[in-house]
Amino acid sequence: MKVLVTVKRVIDYNVKVRVKSDNSGVDLSNVKMAMNPFCEIAVEEAIRLKEAGIATEVVVVSLGVKACQEQLRTALALGADRAILVETEQELESLNVAKLLAKIIEEEQPGMVILGKQAIDTDNNQTGQMLAALTGMAQGTFASKIEVQGDKALVTREVDGGLQTIELSMPIIATTDLRLNEPRYASLPNIMKAKRKPLVVKTPEELGVSIKEHTKLIAVTPPPERKGGIKVANVAELVEKLKNEAKVI
Amino acid sequence: MSILVIAEHDNESLKSATLNTVTAALAIGADVSVLVAGSQCQSVAEAVAKISGVTTVLVADNAAYEHQLAENMLPLIVELAAGKTHLLAPATTSGKNIMPGVAALLDVAQISEIIRVESVDVFERPIYAGNAIAKVQSLDAVKVLTVRTTAFDEAAQEGSASIEVVASVCDAGKSRFVSEQVAESERPELTSAKIIISGGRGMGNGENFKILEAVADKLGAAVGASRAAVDAGFVSNDMQVGQTGKIVAPDLYIAVGISGAIQHLAGMKDSKVIVAINKDEEAPIFSIADYGLVADLFEAVPELTELL
Ligand SMILES: Cc1cc2nc3c(=O)[nH]c(=O)nc-3n(C[C@@H](O)[C@H](O)[C@H](O)COP(=O)(O)OP(=O)(O)OC[C@H]3O[C@@H](n4cnc5c(N)ncnc54)[C@H](O)[C@@H]3O)c2cc1C
Ligand SMILES: Cc1cc2nc3c(=O)[nH]c(=O)nc-3n(C[C@H](O)[C@H](O)[C@H](O)COP(=O)(O)OP(=O)(O)OC[C@H]3O[C@@H](n4cnc5c(N)ncnc54)[C@H](O)[C@@H]3O)c2cc1C
C-alpha cells in the first residue's frame, strides 16, 4: 500500500506572531518556518506503517512556495521515499489545496492519505475533510489510533465527549490528532541521504486546477489585549477577592 | 437570507452549542431552520422547536444518521442546502468533521470558527492561536460557517417552530460506528461551564487531580487540563483546553500548575476572570491572570477547598 502524506510549511509554533501595522496580515519576514506539528505526526504515522510492513511507499506532498522544499526534505530525512511539491506563489485556500491534492491522488492511487487535523497558522481544520468529500474516500478525522485490517481500517478519533472508534473501507483519508504518536527526530546521516531522494515539482496548471478565490481577507488585527492583574499574598486573599471584587463565586 | 443550522445532539438531548449557533445565525438573518439528523431523535426535534427565532425544524430520523458519520451526513445536508444562503454548525468536533466536506461538495469555502458577524458575508475569525483576528469576506453564493460557541450567547428557548420530516436517507456504506469511550461525569461540560479549574504538568500525576475535583465539587465547576497533562496520561483527551483542544470562556478559570503556553492561552484567554496558581513567579500564565498566587499547588489547592 502506498501512503500519501501532506506537509505544510507554517510559522514555527514557538514564534509569537505580530500583526502588521497596516493590518494586511501577520509579519512573516525573518520568522522561523517549520513543518506544521500535526503534519510531523502524519509523517511519523506513515513511516511506522512502513516499518510495520503495511505501507510499501511513503510519498510526501506540499503545496506552496519554493521554500516548501525544506519541509519536504525534512520529511524525506525522517523516512519518506519521495516528494512532490506543487509550486505556486498564490495563497491557497483549503478548497484549492484539496482540489490539487485530489488530482495527485488520482495520479498516485494511494491506499491511505494522512493529513494534519489543522494547520497552526490558519487553524482551519478543513483540508482533509474537503479532500474526502471530493474523492469519495472515507474519512477518519482527529485520529489517535489507526489500525489497518485488510480492506478496512479502524480509526479511533478524539471527539469532544472522549474517544470514538469507526470502521472505514479502504482507501481512507485520516487526519492526525496530538496523541497519534510522538514524532522522531531526523538523524544526520538520514538528512544527508534525503538530499538524494527524488523530489518532483509540479504546477497547478499541469494538474489542471485553476486556483479560485472564495474568500477575501479584509483585515488582520491584533486581538484585544488582556492586561495582567495582581498577585495575591495567600489563599485567603484570593478567596476574598473572588467573592467581593470579582464576584464570581 | 435563508439559513440552515445543523443541530448537535446525542439523539436524546440537544447540546447547548446549537443554541449559540442559532444566535450567530440570527445575527445574519431571520429565516433560520435547523436540521436534526439522528436516530429516534424526536425529543431533540422538540427541544429545537422551542429555540426562539427558529422557524422550521427539519428532522431526518434514520439509523443511518445515528452517529452522524460524515459520509452519510454530507449528501443529506447538500440536498437540504438547495436555496439556502448560509449553512452553520458549531465548531465542535462534530461540526468540524462534517462542514468542510459539505462546502467542498458545494464548491465553496468554509469559514472556520467565526467569532463575529459583521454582515451577511463578512465575518471575523481568530487565526494563529488567537494571536490575530482575520476579517474575511465570503465571495461564494452559499456561506458555510462553523461558529465558535463561546463568542455568541445561547438563544432563548421560548419559541414554537414547526417540525417537518425529511424523508431522504443516505447511507454511503463506507463507514461504520464501532464503539465509543465517553467520559462520564456529573460535572458540567467544559464548554458550557461557568467555572473551570484546570490542571497542568505541575499536577504530577492523575491521582492528584482529585484535589482539583474537590474544588470543582464545591464550586459546581468543570475540570480541564493542559496538553501536557493529557499527553502524560494524567487525564483523558476530552479535558484538553487550548488551540487544538477545547475553547472555553467561563466566568472564572483557575489554572493550576500550568505555565501558560500560547497554545493553552488560545483556549481560555477569553474567560472573564482568570486565576493562576503556580510556584514559578515567572510563569507566563501570570501575565494574563487577574489574580496570581505564587505557591505550591499541593498546599494552596487543599487550602482553597477549605476556605470555599
Ligand atoms: C493572515 C492570513 C492571510 C491569508 N490571506 C489569504 C488570501 O489573501 N487568499 C487566500 O486564498 N488565502 C489566504 N489565506 C489562507 C491560506 O494561507 C491558508 O493556507 C488556507 O486557509 C489553507 O488552510 P489549510 O488548508 O492550511 O488549513 P487546514 O485545513 O487547517 O490544514 C490541515 C492539513 O492539511 C494539509 N495542508 C493544508 N495546506 C497544505 C499545503 N499548502 N501543503 C501541504 N499540506 C497542506 C496539512 O497536512 C495540514 O495539516 C490567509 C491566511 C492567513 C493566516
Ligand atoms: C501543535 C501544538 C498544539 C498544542 N495544543 C495545545 C492545547 O490545545 N492545549 C494546551 O494546553 N497545550 C497545547 N500545546 C502544548 C503547549 O505548547 C505546552 O507544551 C503545554 O500547554 C504545557 O502544559 P503545562 O503548562 O501543563 O506544562 P508546563 O509548561 O511544563 O508547565 C507546568 C507548570 O507547573 C508549575 N508547577 C510545577 N509544579 C508545581 C507545584 N507543585 N505547584 C505549583 N506549580 C507547579 C511549573 O512552574 C510550570 O509553570 C500544543 C503544542 C503544539 C506544538
Side-chain angles (χ1 to χ4, degrees):
Chain A
M1 177 182 73
K2 188 192 286 184
V3 178
L4 197 79
V5 181
T6 55
V7 299
K8 188 177 182 189
R9 175 183 171 87
V10 298
I11 192 164
D12 184 271
Y13 77 94
N14 281 312
V15 174
K16 176 123 173 64
V17 303
R18 249 178 282 280
V19 173
K20 287 190 200 158
S21 55
D22 65 358
N23 291 344
S24 64
V26 300
D27 198 352
L28 293 180
S29 51
N30 300 321
V31 301
K32 187 172 170 218
M33 303 295 280
M35 190 190 301
N36 182 40
F38 288 98
C39 300
E40 289 179 349
I41 298 172
V43 171
E44 177 68 29
E45 193 65 14
I47 295 166
R48 289 189 190 186
L49 284 168
K50 192 172 170 198
E51 287 167 349
I54 297 166
T56 48
E57 189 185 24
V58 176
V59 182
V60 286
V61 188
S62 192
L63 306 91
V65 295
K66 187 163 191 216
C68 295
Q69 292 199 8
E70 291 167 23
Q71 281 65 45
L72 288 172
R73 289 288 171 205
T74 305
L76 292 171
L78 289 166
D81 298 296
R82 61 188 170 90
I84 303 170
L85 170 64
V86 180
E87 194 176 323
T88 172
E89 290 288 326
Q90 267 177 291
E91 286 274 3
L92 295 174
E93 293 180 49
S94 300
L95 183 57
N96 290 317
V97 172
K99 283 181 179 172
L100 290 162
L101 288 172
K103 285 288 180 191
I104 304 243
I105 289 174
E106 226 176 271
E107 288 178 3
E108 297 282 343
Q109 298 288 323
M112 186 184 297
V113 184
I114 315 179
L115 302 86
K117 83 163 176 180
Q118 88 195 55
I120 59 159
D121 50 0
T122 56
D123 285 335
N124 264 358
N125 198 330
Q126 308 181 349
T127 309
Q129 297 88 310
M130 288 183 156
L131 187 58
L134 294 178
T135 57
M137 291 160 78
Q139 75 183 41
T141 52
F142 327 141
S144 65
K145 195 169 178 198
I146 304 174
E147 268 175 283
V148 179
Q149 302 179 337
D151 61 350
K152 306 263 190 226
L154 277 183
V155 178
T156 301
R157 310 177 51 230
E158 295 204 2
V159 295
D160 288 337
L163 296 171
Q164 181 196 59
T165 303
I166 52 176
E167 184 192 76
L168 305 173
S169 304
M170 301 282 275
I172 66 158
I173 304 236
T175 75
T176 61
D177 217 317
L178 294 168
R179 260 74 57 180
L180 184 59
N181 59 50
E182 242 180 80
R184 69 192 70 187
Y185 295 97
S187 68
L188 196 58
N190 284 343
I191 292 172
M192 301 311 289
K193 257 196 265 170
K195 293 188 175 148
R196 292 189 302 273
K197 288 188 180 175
L199 187 160
V200 301
V201 179
K202 295 177 189 271
T203 62
E205 296 74 42
E206 282 166 17
L207 291 168
V209 175
S210 55
I211 308 296
K212 196 174 151 203
E213 199 184 21
H214 294 271
T215 56
K216 206 172 116 202
L217 186 69
I218 296 176
V220 177
T221 49
E225 197 67 43
R226 190 171 181 123
K227 284 196 286 300
I230 57 159
K231 291 250 169 68
V232 290
N234 51 46
V235 178
E237 188 188 346
L238 176 63
V239 172
E240 189 274 321
K241 294 277 188 207
L242 290 177
K243 277 190 177 148
N244 302 321
E245 193 175 87
K247 298 189 168 61
V248 283
I249 57 170
Chain B
M1 293 314 110
S2 181
I3 305 165
L4 180 66
V5 170
I6 316 302
E8 173 131 350
H9 62 89
D10 58 6
N11 294 310
E12 279 165 26
S13 55
L14 180 69
K15 300 271 184 218
S16 60
T18 309
L19 302 174
N20 310 92
T21 308
V22 167
T23 299
L26 290 167
I28 298 169
D31 179 10
V32 176
S33 29
V34 178
L35 168 67
V36 177
S39 177
Q40 313 206 322
C41 52
Q42 190 58 28
S43 58
V44 179
E46 281 159 19
V48 172
K50 292 202 186 81
I51 304 177
S52 305
V54 173
T55 50
T56 316
V57 186
L58 303 169
V59 190
D61 192 334
N62 190 281
Y65 305 128
E66 185 175 356
H67 299 285
Q68 306 205 0
L69 297 169
E71 291 72 21
N72 300 350
M73 291 290 286
L74 258 50
L76 174 69
I77 298 174
V78 168
E79 181 187 316
L80 296 174
K84 299 289 178 210
T85 54
H86 297 75
L87 307 176
L88 278 72
T92 53
T93 48
S94 172
K96 289 175 184 171
N97 190 42
I98 293 167
M99 297 310 268
V102 171
L105 292 180
L106 296 171
D107 198 25
V108 300
Q110 183 207 258
I111 300 181
S112 301
E113 302 230 14
I114 62 162
I115 54 171
R116 202 170 79 83
V117 174
E118 180 162 301
S119 69
V120 295
D121 61 356
V122 178
F123 311 95
E124 284 184 0
R125 59 176 301 259
I127 52 176
Y128 291 98
N131 287 304
I133 310 291
K135 187 188 281 192
V136 291
Q137 180 173 27
S138 163
L139 308 175
D140 291 317
V142 185
K143 284 93 180 141
V144 179
L145 312 166
T146 61
V147 175
R148 178 166 288 192
T149 54
T150 52
F152 297 90
D153 291 334
E154 290 183 7
Q157 291 168 276
E158 294 155 357
S160 57
S162 61
I163 299 183
E164 281 175 22
V165 172
V166 179
S168 59
V169 177
C170 318
D171 190 344
K174 275 183 284 199
S175 50
R176 190 174 66 83
F177 170 84
V178 177
S179 63
E180 188 164 55
Q181 231 178 296
V182 178
E184 293 289 343
S185 166
E186 298 293 301
R187 298 201 177 83
E189 267 186 57
L190 261 183
T191 47
S192 51
K194 295 267 176 281
I195 302 179
I196 296 173
I197 181 161
S198 285
R201 199 195 311 266
M203 297 304 297
N205 59 45
E207 185 65 21
N208 289 338
F209 266 71
K210 287 218 172 91
I211 63 173
L212 301 187
E213 287 164 12
V215 177
D217 287 340
K218 284 226 163 155
L219 293 173
V223 180
S226 71
R227 172 189 173 183
V230 178
D231 281 4
F234 300 173
V235 292
S236 56
N237 66 284
D238 52 284
M239 289 169 66
Q240 181 180 319
V241 171
Q243 179 188 15
T244 57
K246 287 191 175 131
I247 309 289
V248 301
D251 292 340
L252 173 60
Y253 188 92
I254 309 175
V256 182
I258 292 178
S259 62
I262 50 173
Q263 293 87 3
H264 188 78
L265 303 188
M268 45 64 79
K269 71 181 159 66
D270 292 327
S271 306
K272 254 186 221 135
V273 176
I274 297 173
V275 170
I277 301 176
N278 197 304
K279 69 177 180 191
D280 172 12
E281 65 176 313
E282 301 291 321
I285 189 82
F286 287 123
S287 68
I288 61 148
D290 298 282
Y291 302 107
L293 176 62
V294 181
D296 188 301
L297 71 92
F298 296 106
E299 286 162 22
V301 176
E303 196 184 336
L304 179 62
T305 310
E306 252 168 60
L307 293 181
L308 286 172

